[in-house]
Amino acid sequence: MAVVIGGGGYVWIKKKEADVRRGWNLVPVVVAAQDLAEDTVITFESISQRSVPEQFVTSSVVRPDSANYIVNQRILVAAQAGDLMLWSQFETKKQADCFVAARDIPVGAKLTEDDMLPQGMDPKLVTPSYVKEPERPQVVGRPVIAAFRKGDPILWTHFHNEPPPVTRDSAR
């Protein structure tokens, strides 16, 4: 009888212990590594990872596996070092897909698919001179008249005196 009561008591204590700990397991989240002013562009240096109890983590908290989505985005509100990064703190506007050079490209080289990387850019900064996704086939195989460094935007002005095509997107 004592063994049954002792075994039951042990199980009951372990269940109570699990109930008390529920919600207090630590999960990693993204936090501000330093004080951030409103309109600051987030870099990997300005954020860090911390562990907080899971009961305080909602779907609006940025998790470490999604941190790359907030890098190079402007934070809309000020944040202090240690504050959780929330999705609602960032711009959500659609970015224009333009191309940048995937490597250094010398003058006279013919542009290939591998030379271009799509990159989202602020639509307010994109002009008709930027080569956009629908215009990709029109630039592949064309020689460039100005050198590109890796990361430079690919512009229509880098090709031999041909104006950019008029597309529905560039007419706006």
Side-chain angles (χ1 to χ4, degrees):
M1 182 80 141
V3 171
V4 171
I5 293 173
Y10 178 78
V11 170
W12 181 78
I13 288 173
K14 286 298 181 183
K15 182 184 178 324
K16 285 296 182 185
E17 190 176 274
D19 290 345
V20 168
R21 287 189 180 157
R22 187 173 298 123
W24 290 97
N25 294 323
L26 297 178
V27 294
V29 296
V30 176
V31 298
Q34 60 200 26
D35 290 347
L36 300 170
E38 181 179 334
D39 278 340
T40 300
V41 175
I42 300 298
T43 63
F44 279 112
E45 292 77 32
S46 62
I47 58 176
S48 66
Q49 178 177 316
R50 297 274 161 76
S51 293
V52 298
E54 66 185 348
Q55 66 180 333
F56 301 121
V57 179
T58 64
S59 61
S60 62
V61 175
V62 179
R63 303 295 287 271
D65 57 340
S66 301
N68 59 324
Y69 292 111
I70 64 170
V71 172
N72 295 325
Q73 296 293 322
R74 290 190 187 283
I75 189 165
L76 301 174
V77 295
Q80 294 181 348
D83 284 353
L84 297 176
M85 294 283 95
L86 305 174
W87 292 112
S88 59
Q89 295 171 321
F90 298 93
E91 295 177 335
T92 57
K93 67 183 171 206
K94 175 128 172 72
Q95 296 202 331
D97 283 330
C98 298
F99 288 102
V100 297
R103 62 178 181 86
D104 292 348
I105 303 170
V107 173
K110 290 188 177 186
L111 207 59
T112 67
E113 290 277 344
D114 294 335
D115 291 333
M116 301 183 298
L117 288 174
Q119 181 170 326
M121 297 185 158
D122 186 341
K124 291 186 264 184
L125 302 177
V126 174
T127 65
S129 61
Y130 282 76
V131 175
K132 297 165 199 67
E133 179 64 41
E135 302 162 345
R136 177 196 298 242
Q138 298 167 1
V139 296
V140 171
R142 293 178 64 181
V144 297
I145 60 170
F148 289 98
R149 293 191 59 116
K150 182 178 180 176
D152 284 349
I154 297 178
L155 305 174
W156 282 102
T157 55
H158 291 116
F159 298 99
H160 196 8
N161 277 348
E162 295 182 34
V166 176
T167 62
R168 192 166 46 117
D169 290 336
S170 64
R172 288 186 214 176

